[in-house]
Amino acid sequence: MFEELDEMSKGQKLYDYECKSCGLKKGLPEFLIEEFRQDLIFDSKAIASLEEMPILKCPMCGAKFEYKKTDDR
């Protein structure tokens, strides 16, 4: 699963996500984040803005998979 995501992510801007429960860290490509945002908007769970980062479910343990804010962005 992660190998396919890494392949599709080549050349894409990555957003760092982290699970505080199991410690998984993964860069998610911009196109995937945009898809999650659109799903939230069209499912009537509208996020405050298109700039807000969605909170996802960790693919390993099911806990919150949150955007990790970094100083270098």
Side-chain angles (χ1 to χ4, degrees), residues 6 11 16 20 30 41 53:
D6 290 341
D16 294 329
K20 297 193 189 237
E30 186 171 36
I41 290 169
M53 298 303 288

Side-chain angles (χ1 to χ4, degrees), residues 1-9:
M1 170 173 94
F2 290 128
E3 295 84 22
E4 292 174 358
L5 181 60
D6 290 341
E7 186 65 31
M8 293 187 310
S9 300

Side-chain angles (χ1 to χ4, degrees), residues 33-68:
I33 297 300
E34 292 304 320
E35 288 292 325
F36 287 128
R37 284 181 178 150
Q38 287 182 11
D39 287 348
L40 289 171
I41 290 169
F42 291 117
D43 284 344
S44 298
K45 299 174 189 167
I47 52 181
S49 75
L50 291 178
E51 299 303 314
E52 186 177 329
M53 298 303 288
I55 295 174
L56 309 174
K57 187 184 242 187
C58 176
M60 299 301 282
C61 73
K64 284 185 181 179
F65 201 45
E66 299 181 30
Y67 176 63
K68 182 181 175 190

